[in-house]
């Protein structure tokens, strides 16, 4: 590969490094005739509500993760809600959660009156920081929500040890981590209850959909009674008596989504391998230019729901906004990460969460100060999001690498040009 370090960056008037069309390289989801056929089969059966395809998907997810039970949901948010309900969380119970995650990892618990306690994320793997988690345990703490952010398995050894020491349950949100492994074990098998989202951007999408997984039958029973009337009727336990009403929420998956999700699961390993091949290649080049790329330690097999990197500001020599501007001028798709920190959102800072949680007046409310999770706030401000290149070939990746070389090679001039 040519070294482009002394070429003039596009932001200084040079030619952009990335000239290839990126739409195919970054197209996701990949839907083929196989998906179409699976959808047609459901449609032609006439049973577009309770088609057995949902059960088939459950069996496949249970086998894939090695769990005893799987229950499909209409989305990952519902599956998380079912998880919080299955644990029996009650008003005032505290749950340790990351603030750096998608809102659905946390917010549904408010409807049960459970109180999220926002914790720091560590900067090696962007998962919950075990030290901060343990420091925030009180006598009201009942559970921990672990999110394998962007497909990088969290520090499970430490987090599981904390849960064991303090008698806490783990809800594992594996929505970004279909196919990732931690110490040889599948993500999705690491929590008391585990959840996948099958939303359209995810690694094994179904359009909308979610999977709830557990080994404890009582959790399955509660989740089923919460949201699925027909399945409640079929429960082999006394809980089947609730089928006439369920508990008031409806969370059944649409069979058309389940049909797509089955096909996508069949292709997951191969498609994950393609992303990994591309992003490991790119990461190695970016590491040499001063970027931390979250390849993960040896005992972790990460996947790439999204690809984030952190420039070492001294080595790269550019503030993040200038870097993004310069990369975009080169033709790169580069931006800041898309999730805002949850504890800084109006739901918490303006107190609206209390209306949802309806905690009794005598219960002390936690204060959600915007500066309460400082390390994560700082870390988040340093992240750069690039495409995850599900279908790219080396030519495009080499153009990205050339863009990074140009920009970092002339960082001083770019900096000078921006002030
Ligand atoms: C980490 C995480 N958890 C949960 C969800 C919720 O899943 P869904 O969109 O299927 O409701 C998402 C994404 O959409 C997510 O990114």
């Amino acid at each position: 590969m040519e070294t482009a370090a002394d070429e003039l960056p596009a932001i200084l008037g040079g030619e952009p490094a990335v000239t290839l069309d990126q739409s195919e390289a970054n197209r996701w989801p990949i839907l083929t005739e196989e998906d179409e056929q699976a959808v047609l089969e459901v449609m032609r059966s006439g049973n577009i509500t309770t088609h057995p395809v949902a059960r088939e998907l459950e069996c496949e997810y249970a086998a894939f993760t090695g769990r005893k039970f799987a229950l499909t949901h209409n989305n990952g948010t519902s599956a998380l809600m079912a998880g919080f309900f299955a644990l029996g969380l009650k008003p005032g119970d505290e749950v340790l959660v990351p603030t750096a995650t998608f809102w659905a990892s946390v917010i549904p618990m408010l409807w049960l009156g459970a109180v999220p306690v926002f914790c720091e994320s560590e900067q090696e793997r962007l998962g919950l920081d075990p030290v901060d988690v343990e420091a925030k345990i009180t006598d009201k703490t009942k559970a921990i929500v672990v999110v394998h952010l962007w497909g990088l398995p969290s520090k499970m050894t430490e987090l599981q040890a904390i849960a064991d020491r303090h008698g806490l349950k783990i809800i594992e949100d594996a929505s970004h981590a279909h196919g990732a492994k931690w110490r040889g074990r599948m993500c999705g098998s690491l929590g008391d209850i585990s959840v996948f989202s099958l939303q359209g951007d995810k690694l094994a999408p179904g359009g909308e959909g979610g999977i709830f997984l557990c080994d404890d039958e009582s959790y399955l029973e509660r989740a089923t009674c919460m949201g699925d009337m027909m399945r409640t009727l079929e429960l082999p336990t006394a809980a089947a008596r609730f089928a006439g009403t369920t508990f008031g929420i409806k969370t059944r998956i649409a069979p058309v989504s389940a049909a797509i999700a089955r096909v996508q699961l069949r292709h997951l390993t191969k498609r994950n391998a393609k992303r990994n091949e591309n992003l490991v290649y790119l990461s190695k080049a970016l590491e040499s230019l001063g970027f931390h790329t979250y390849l993960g330690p040896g005992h972790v097999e990460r996947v790439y729901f999204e690809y984030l990197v952190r420039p070492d500001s001294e080595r790269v020599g550019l503030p993040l906004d200038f870097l993004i501007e310069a990369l975009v001028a080169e033709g790169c798709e580069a931006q800041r990460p898309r999730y805002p920190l949850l504890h800084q959102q109006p739901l918490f800072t303006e107190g609206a969460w209390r209306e949802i949680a309806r905690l009794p007046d005598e219960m002390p409310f936690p204060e959600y100060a915007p500066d309460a999770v400082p390390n994560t706030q700082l870390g988040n401000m340093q992240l750069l999001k690039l495409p995850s290149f599900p279908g790219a070939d080396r030519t495009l990746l080499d153009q990205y690498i050339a863009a990074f070389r140009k920009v970092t090679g002339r960082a001083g001039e770019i900096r000078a040009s921006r002030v």
Side-chain angles (χ1 to χ4, degrees):
M1 198 185 61
E2 270 176 44
T3 303
D6 53 357
E7 276 179 35
L8 192 63
I11 200 165
L12 299 179
E15 292 300 315
V18 180
T19 53
L20 292 167
D21 177 60
Q22 298 181 50
S23 48
E24 278 310 306
N26 294 327
R27 178 196 286 277
W28 194 262
I30 297 171
L31 297 167
T32 68
E33 273 178 26
E34 204 182 337
D35 301 86
E36 288 169 15
Q37 200 51 44
V39 168
L40 279 177
E41 271 170 35
V42 171
M43 289 173 68
R44 287 179 179 154
S45 77
N47 182 1
I48 55 172
T49 298
T50 56
H51 193 284
V53 70
R55 269 190 191 279
E56 286 157 11
L57 181 63
E58 286 166 7
C59 291
E60 286 161 3
Y61 260 93
F64 171 61
T65 53
R67 300 306 295 248
K68 280 198 194 145
F69 306 110
L71 185 65
T72 42
H73 281 73
N74 55 355
N75 52 48
T77 308
S78 299
L80 280 153
M81 179 68 189
F84 298 132
F85 178 71
L87 287 186
L89 293 178
K90 299 205 169 34
D93 285 349
E94 293 179 2
V95 183
L96 302 163
V97 299
T99 181
T101 181
F102 185 67
W103 60 261
S105 312
V106 174
I107 308 303
M109 74 176 69
L110 292 179
W111 292 94
L112 302 168
V115 176
V117 175
F118 291 106
C119 300
E120 297 278 12
S121 294
E122 38 78 20
Q123 296 307 304
E124 271 168 67
R125 285 194 245 165
L126 303 176
L128 272 180
D129 178 351
V131 175
D132 196 47
V133 164
E134 192 152 34
K136 287 181 173 156
I137 291 175
T138 71
D139 55 3
K140 294 191 214 131
T141 311
K142 293 291 181 328
I144 307 175
V145 174
V146 172
V147 185
H148 308 303
L149 205 66
W150 315 123
L152 190 51
S154 298
K155 295 197 166 182
M156 291 310 298
T157 310
E158 295 87 340
L159 292 168
Q160 188 62 62
I162 292 170
D164 292 345
R165 262 200 303 281
H166 298 273
L168 308 177
K169 300 295 180 196
I170 291 185
I171 296 241
E172 180 193 18
D173 182 353
S175 294
H176 294 183
H178 308 63
K181 288 186 187 161
W182 169 82
R183 298 195 186 280
R185 288 173 57 192
M186 274 289 174
C187 288
S189 72
L190 307 175
D192 293 280
I193 293 170
S194 303
V195 164
F196 288 102
S197 161
L198 309 178
Q199 176 268 340
D201 296 336
K202 299 298 186 310
L203 291 169
E208 287 287 334
I211 309 279
F212 168 104
L213 295 147
C214 64
D215 298 325
D216 181 330
E217 199 167 3
S218 70
Y219 293 152
L220 177 75
E221 198 173 86
R222 282 177 68 85
T224 308
C225 289
M226 187 194 86
D228 196 326
M229 182 188 78
M230 295 303 282
R231 303 298 288 277
T232 305
L233 198 59
E234 292 167 19
L235 281 172
T237 63
R241 71 188 184 283
F242 293 116
T245 54
T246 71
F247 294 166
I249 295 177
K250 191 174 175 194
T251 60
R252 183 161 70 195
I253 195 170
V256 163
S257 284
I260 298 171
R262 286 191 71 204
V263 176
Q264 294 288 320
L265 184 60
R266 281 204 284 278
H267 291 280
L268 175 71
T269 307
K270 181 185 64 193
R271 290 179 182 161
N272 272 348
K274 176 73 177 164
R275 285 188 193 223
N276 279 45
E277 185 193 320
N278 280 344
L279 293 173
V280 169
Y281 176 75
L282 183 55
S283 294
K284 287 189 173 150
L286 296 189
E287 288 277 346
S288 72
L289 295 173
F291 291 77
H292 180 66
T293 61
Y294 304 100
L295 285 163
H299 64 279
V300 149
E301 288 174 45
R302 73 158 298 177
V303 292
Y304 289 92
F305 167 56
E306 288 189 4
Y307 182 53
L308 281 95
V309 301
R310 189 181 68 227
D312 174 331
S313 55
E314 277 189 17
R315 280 189 65 195
V316 172
L318 278 172
L320 189 55
D321 285 335
F322 292 178
L323 177 64
I324 290 174
E325 224 184 308
L327 289 170
V328 169
E330 294 297 338
C332 298
E333 292 178 17
Q335 55 195 282
R336 285 183 178 273
R338 62 196 174 100
Y339 298 158
L341 296 181
L342 299 181
H343 75 286
Q344 297 180 331
Q345 298 313 297
L347 180 66
F348 294 104
T349 55
E350 294 174 14
W353 72 275
R354 287 183 209 159
E355 193 186 327
I356 300 168
R358 286 161 293 131
L359 294 182
D361 288 345
E362 63 276 13
M363 268 187 191
F365 298 133
E367 290 300 328
Y368 289 112
D371 58 354
V373 195
N375 299 342
T376 306
Q377 186 175 340
L378 190 65
N380 231 39
M381 279 160 39
Q382 296 167 350
L383 292 173
L384 169 68
K385 174 169 153 16
L386 297 168
S388 39
F389 296 113
D393 63 23
R394 287 276 161 98
T395 356
L396 178 60
L397 301 174
D398 285 339
Q399 289 196 339
Y400 264 71
I401 294 167
F404 273 82
R405 279 190 204 284
K406 279 168 72 178
V407 166
T408 53
R410 307 277 282 255
E413 286 160 71
I414 294 175
R415 218 175 37 243
S417 77
R418 305 326 286 161
V419 286

